[in-house]
Amino acid sequence: MQKLISKFNNKQATIAIIGLGYVGLPLLLRYLSLGYKVIGIDIDPKKVEALNRSESYIKHIDCSAIKQADKSQFEVTTDFAKV
């Protein structure tokens, strides 16, 4: 347990967000802003493709938030095996 807590405290943990809709996408962006590596997973390939193009498919999330995210810190995929 201490090892896990240490990974979160040191920002070495990788967080997986399953479902990149109205809850998942803001969570992904928030954890990125806090300095964590994040894997976003969704069954909709259109969402994954949009995010990989730095585009938002949610009206209240501006594309600039996605463009500003450090691409080396997150991955979006339809592949559940990445978890």
mmCIF file of all heavy atoms in Angstrom, residues 39-62:
data_model
loop_
_atom_site.group_PDB
_atom_site.id
_atom_site.type_symbol
_atom_site.label_atom_id
_atom_site.label_comp_id
_atom_site.label_asym_id
_atom_site.label_seq_id
_atom_site.Cartn_x
_atom_site.Cartn_y
_atom_site.Cartn_z
ATOM 1 N N ILE A 39 -4.168 7.247 -19.283
ATOM 2 C CA ILE A 39 -4.629 6.485 -20.437
ATOM 3 C C ILE A 39 -6.148 6.633 -20.469
ATOM 4 O O ILE A 39 -6.826 6.311 -19.490
ATOM 5 C CB ILE A 39 -4.263 4.997 -20.326
ATOM 6 C CG1 ILE A 39 -2.750 4.827 -20.287
ATOM 7 C CG2 ILE A 39 -4.860 4.209 -21.491
ATOM 8 C CD1 ILE A 39 -2.311 3.400 -20.008
ATOM 9 N N GLY A 40 -6.672 7.152 -21.577
ATOM 10 C CA GLY A 40 -8.107 7.284 -21.751
ATOM 11 C C GLY A 40 -8.605 6.195 -22.692
ATOM 12 O O GLY A 40 -8.018 5.990 -23.753
ATOM 13 N N ILE A 41 -9.655 5.509 -22.289
ATOM 14 C CA ILE A 41 -10.171 4.404 -23.089
ATOM 15 C C ILE A 41 -11.657 4.633 -23.363
ATOM 16 O O ILE A 41 -12.417 4.973 -22.453
ATOM 17 C CB ILE A 41 -9.987 3.063 -22.358
ATOM 18 C CG1 ILE A 41 -8.512 2.847 -22.055
ATOM 19 C CG2 ILE A 41 -10.551 1.914 -23.169
ATOM 20 C CD1 ILE A 41 -8.225 1.670 -21.183
ATOM 21 N N ASP A 42 -12.032 4.443 -24.614
ATOM 22 C CA ASP A 42 -13.439 4.555 -24.982
ATOM 23 C C ASP A 42 -13.733 3.574 -26.109
ATOM 24 O O ASP A 42 -12.846 3.275 -26.917
ATOM 25 C CB ASP A 42 -13.773 5.977 -25.425
ATOM 26 C CG ASP A 42 -15.264 6.267 -25.329
ATOM 27 O OD1 ASP A 42 -16.030 5.771 -26.178
ATOM 28 O OD2 ASP A 42 -15.651 6.975 -24.385
ATOM 29 N N ILE A 43 -14.964 3.097 -26.174
ATOM 30 C CA ILE A 43 -15.333 2.156 -27.230
ATOM 31 C C ILE A 43 -15.647 2.865 -28.544
ATOM 32 O O ILE A 43 -15.742 2.223 -29.584
ATOM 33 C CB ILE A 43 -16.532 1.274 -26.825
ATOM 34 C CG1 ILE A 43 -17.766 2.128 -26.542
ATOM 35 C CG2 ILE A 43 -16.178 0.399 -25.636
ATOM 36 C CD1 ILE A 43 -19.041 1.323 -26.350
ATOM 37 N N ASP A 44 -15.774 4.185 -28.492
ATOM 38 C CA ASP A 44 -16.114 4.960 -29.687
ATOM 39 C C ASP A 44 -14.833 5.445 -30.381
ATOM 40 O O ASP A 44 -14.170 6.364 -29.903
ATOM 41 C CB ASP A 44 -16.986 6.150 -29.294
ATOM 42 C CG ASP A 44 -17.489 6.948 -30.478
ATOM 43 O OD1 ASP A 44 -17.027 6.721 -31.613
ATOM 44 O OD2 ASP A 44 -18.362 7.812 -30.267
ATOM 45 N N PRO A 45 -14.496 4.846 -31.522
ATOM 46 C CA PRO A 45 -13.266 5.249 -32.213
ATOM 47 C C PRO A 45 -13.296 6.710 -32.677
ATOM 48 O O PRO A 45 -12.242 7.338 -32.786
ATOM 49 C CB PRO A 45 -13.153 4.296 -33.397
ATOM 50 C CG PRO A 45 -14.480 3.664 -33.544
ATOM 51 C CD PRO A 45 -15.183 3.762 -32.229
ATOM 52 N N LYS A 46 -14.468 7.274 -32.896
ATOM 53 C CA LYS A 46 -14.553 8.683 -33.310
ATOM 54 C C LYS A 46 -14.073 9.615 -32.206
ATOM 55 O O LYS A 46 -13.420 10.620 -32.481
ATOM 56 C CB LYS A 46 -15.979 9.032 -33.731
ATOM 57 C CG LYS A 46 -16.389 8.368 -35.021
ATOM 58 C CD LYS A 46 -17.792 8.744 -35.414
ATOM 59 C CE LYS A 46 -18.171 8.013 -36.694
ATOM 60 N NZ LYS A 46 -19.524 8.346 -37.126
ATOM 61 N N LYS A 47 -14.384 9.292 -30.972
ATOM 62 C CA LYS A 47 -13.903 10.100 -29.845
ATOM 63 C C LYS A 47 -12.380 10.019 -29.749
ATOM 64 O O LYS A 47 -11.706 11.026 -29.556
ATOM 65 C CB LYS A 47 -14.522 9.628 -28.532
ATOM 66 C CG LYS A 47 -15.977 9.970 -28.372
ATOM 67 C CD LYS A 47 -16.484 9.468 -27.034
ATOM 68 C CE LYS A 47 -17.951 9.784 -26.870
ATOM 69 N NZ LYS A 47 -18.474 9.250 -25.600
ATOM 70 N N VAL A 48 -11.862 8.821 -29.874
ATOM 71 C CA VAL A 48 -10.411 8.619 -29.786
ATOM 72 C C VAL A 48 -9.709 9.371 -30.918
ATOM 73 O O VAL A 48 -8.710 10.062 -30.689
ATOM 74 C CB VAL A 48 -10.078 7.110 -29.811
ATOM 75 C CG1 VAL A 48 -8.579 6.884 -29.951
ATOM 76 C CG2 VAL A 48 -10.612 6.433 -28.558
ATOM 77 N N GLU A 49 -10.227 9.258 -32.128
ATOM 78 C CA GLU A 49 -9.636 9.959 -33.274
ATOM 79 C C GLU A 49 -9.683 11.467 -33.075
ATOM 80 O O GLU A 49 -8.707 12.173 -33.368
ATOM 81 C CB GLU A 49 -10.362 9.564 -34.557
ATOM 82 C CG GLU A 49 -10.127 8.126 -34.974
ATOM 83 C CD GLU A 49 -11.109 7.634 -36.032
ATOM 84 O OE1 GLU A 49 -11.887 8.445 -36.581
ATOM 85 O OE2 GLU A 49 -11.095 6.411 -36.305
ATOM 86 N N ALA A 50 -10.803 11.985 -32.568
ATOM 87 C CA ALA A 50 -10.925 13.430 -32.329
ATOM 88 C C ALA A 50 -9.885 13.899 -31.316
ATOM 89 O O ALA A 50 -9.218 14.919 -31.527
ATOM 90 C CB ALA A 50 -12.335 13.773 -31.859
ATOM 91 N N LEU A 51 -9.737 13.178 -30.227
ATOM 92 C CA LEU A 51 -8.762 13.571 -29.208
ATOM 93 C C LEU A 51 -7.335 13.495 -29.739
ATOM 94 O O LEU A 51 -6.506 14.351 -29.418
ATOM 95 C CB LEU A 51 -8.908 12.705 -27.961
ATOM 96 C CG LEU A 51 -10.167 12.978 -27.145
ATOM 97 C CD1 LEU A 51 -10.327 11.941 -26.049
ATOM 98 C CD2 LEU A 51 -10.128 14.373 -26.557
ATOM 99 N N ASN A 52 -7.058 12.513 -30.566
ATOM 100 C CA ASN A 52 -5.724 12.417 -31.157
ATOM 101 C C ASN A 52 -5.453 13.553 -32.139
ATOM 102 O O ASN A 52 -4.292 13.860 -32.415
ATOM 103 C CB ASN A 52 -5.531 11.053 -31.823
ATOM 104 C CG ASN A 52 -5.269 9.964 -30.810
ATOM 105 O OD1 ASN A 52 -4.616 10.187 -29.803
ATOM 106 N ND2 ASN A 52 -5.793 8.775 -31.061
ATOM 107 N N ARG A 53 -6.507 14.189 -32.625
ATOM 108 C CA ARG A 53 -6.363 15.381 -33.483
ATOM 109 C C ARG A 53 -6.473 16.664 -32.654
ATOM 110 O O ARG A 53 -6.559 17.753 -33.212
ATOM 111 C CB ARG A 53 -7.441 15.393 -34.571
ATOM 112 C CG ARG A 53 -7.312 14.335 -35.632
ATOM 113 C CD ARG A 53 -8.300 14.575 -36.776
ATOM 114 N NE ARG A 53 -9.682 14.725 -36.323
ATOM 115 C CZ ARG A 53 -10.590 13.746 -36.253
ATOM 116 N NH1 ARG A 53 -10.255 12.518 -36.606
ATOM 117 N NH2 ARG A 53 -11.815 13.994 -35.829
ATOM 118 N N SER A 54 -6.515 16.528 -31.341
ATOM 119 C CA SER A 54 -6.667 17.656 -30.405
ATOM 120 C C SER A 54 -7.986 18.387 -30.603
ATOM 121 O O SER A 54 -8.066 19.595 -30.457
ATOM 122 C CB SER A 54 -5.494 18.631 -30.518
ATOM 123 O OG SER A 54 -4.294 18.004 -30.165
ATOM 124 N N GLU A 55 -9.027 17.643 -30.906
ATOM 125 C CA GLU A 55 -10.355 18.216 -31.096
ATOM 126 C C GLU A 55 -11.262 17.768 -29.955
ATOM 127 O O GLU A 55 -11.140 16.667 -29.446
ATOM 128 C CB GLU A 55 -10.954 17.751 -32.422
ATOM 129 C CG GLU A 55 -10.179 18.230 -33.624
ATOM 130 C CD GLU A 55 -10.683 17.625 -34.923
ATOM 131 O OE1 GLU A 55 -11.627 16.804 -34.903
ATOM 132 O OE2 GLU A 55 -10.121 17.965 -35.969
ATOM 133 N N SER A 56 -12.189 18.640 -29.594
ATOM 134 C CA SER A 56 -13.161 18.314 -28.565
ATOM 135 C C SER A 56 -14.497 17.966 -29.214
ATOM 136 O O SER A 56 -14.916 18.603 -30.172
ATOM 137 C CB SER A 56 -13.351 19.495 -27.616
ATOM 138 O OG SER A 56 -14.336 19.181 -26.654
ATOM 139 N N TYR A 57 -15.172 16.993 -28.679
ATOM 140 C CA TYR A 57 -16.496 16.600 -29.138
ATOM 141 C C TYR A 57 -17.537 16.932 -28.075
ATOM 142 O O TYR A 57 -18.697 16.566 -28.196
ATOM 143 C CB TYR A 57 -16.530 15.096 -29.463
ATOM 144 C CG TYR A 57 -15.847 14.259 -28.422
ATOM 145 C CD1 TYR A 57 -16.506 13.855 -27.272
ATOM 146 C CD2 TYR A 57 -14.510 13.926 -28.571
ATOM 147 C CE1 TYR A 57 -15.858 13.134 -26.301
ATOM 148 C CE2 TYR A 57 -13.861 13.191 -27.606
ATOM 149 C CZ TYR A 57 -14.539 12.802 -26.470
ATOM 150 O OH TYR A 57 -13.890 12.090 -25.508
ATOM 151 N N ILE A 58 -17.104 17.628 -27.034
ATOM 152 C CA ILE A 58 -18.002 18.065 -25.974
ATOM 153 C C ILE A 58 -18.056 19.586 -26.006
ATOM 154 O O ILE A 58 -17.024 20.254 -25.926
ATOM 155 C CB ILE A 58 -17.523 17.543 -24.603
ATOM 156 C CG1 ILE A 58 -17.561 16.006 -24.588
ATOM 157 C CG2 ILE A 58 -18.384 18.117 -23.485
ATOM 158 C CD1 ILE A 58 -17.051 15.376 -23.320
ATOM 159 N N LYS A 59 -19.259 20.094 -26.123
ATOM 160 C CA LYS A 59 -19.489 21.524 -26.342
ATOM 161 C C LYS A 59 -18.778 22.435 -25.326
ATOM 162 O O LYS A 59 -18.195 23.445 -25.702
ATOM 163 C CB LYS A 59 -20.988 21.779 -26.313
ATOM 164 C CG LYS A 59 -21.435 23.047 -26.915
ATOM 165 C CD LYS A 59 -22.956 23.104 -26.881
ATOM 166 C CE LYS A 59 -23.462 24.028 -27.928
ATOM 167 N NZ LYS A 59 -24.924 24.042 -27.981
ATOM 168 N N HIS A 60 -18.823 22.092 -24.058
ATOM 169 C CA HIS A 60 -18.264 22.990 -23.036
ATOM 170 C C HIS A 60 -16.767 22.788 -22.785
ATOM 171 O O HIS A 60 -16.196 23.442 -21.926
ATOM 172 C CB HIS A 60 -19.054 22.860 -21.731
ATOM 173 C CG HIS A 60 -18.898 21.544 -21.046
ATOM 174 N ND1 HIS A 60 -19.659 20.449 -21.373
ATOM 175 C CD2 HIS A 60 -18.073 21.137 -20.060
ATOM 176 C CE1 HIS A 60 -19.305 19.430 -20.618
ATOM 177 N NE2 HIS A 60 -18.341 19.819 -19.814
ATOM 178 N N ILE A 61 -16.124 21.898 -23.523
ATOM 179 C CA ILE A 61 -14.669 21.727 -23.409
ATOM 180 C C ILE A 61 -14.022 22.271 -24.668
ATOM 181 O O ILE A 61 -14.219 21.746 -25.761
ATOM 182 C CB ILE A 61 -14.287 20.252 -23.186
ATOM 183 C CG1 ILE A 61 -14.847 19.781 -21.849
ATOM 184 C CG2 ILE A 61 -12.772 20.075 -23.227
ATOM 185 C CD1 ILE A 61 -14.564 18.344 -21.522
ATOM 186 N N ASP A 62 -13.282 23.327 -24.501
ATOM 187 C CA ASP A 62 -12.630 23.987 -25.627
ATOM 188 C C ASP A 62 -11.462 23.155 -26.145
ATOM 189 O O ASP A 62 -10.773 22.498 -25.363
ATOM 190 C CB ASP A 62 -12.141 25.368 -25.171
ATOM 191 C CG ASP A 62 -11.717 26.217 -26.332
ATOM 192 O OD1 ASP A 62 -12.586 26.648 -27.103
ATOM 193 O OD2 ASP A 62 -10.497 26.432 -26.475
#
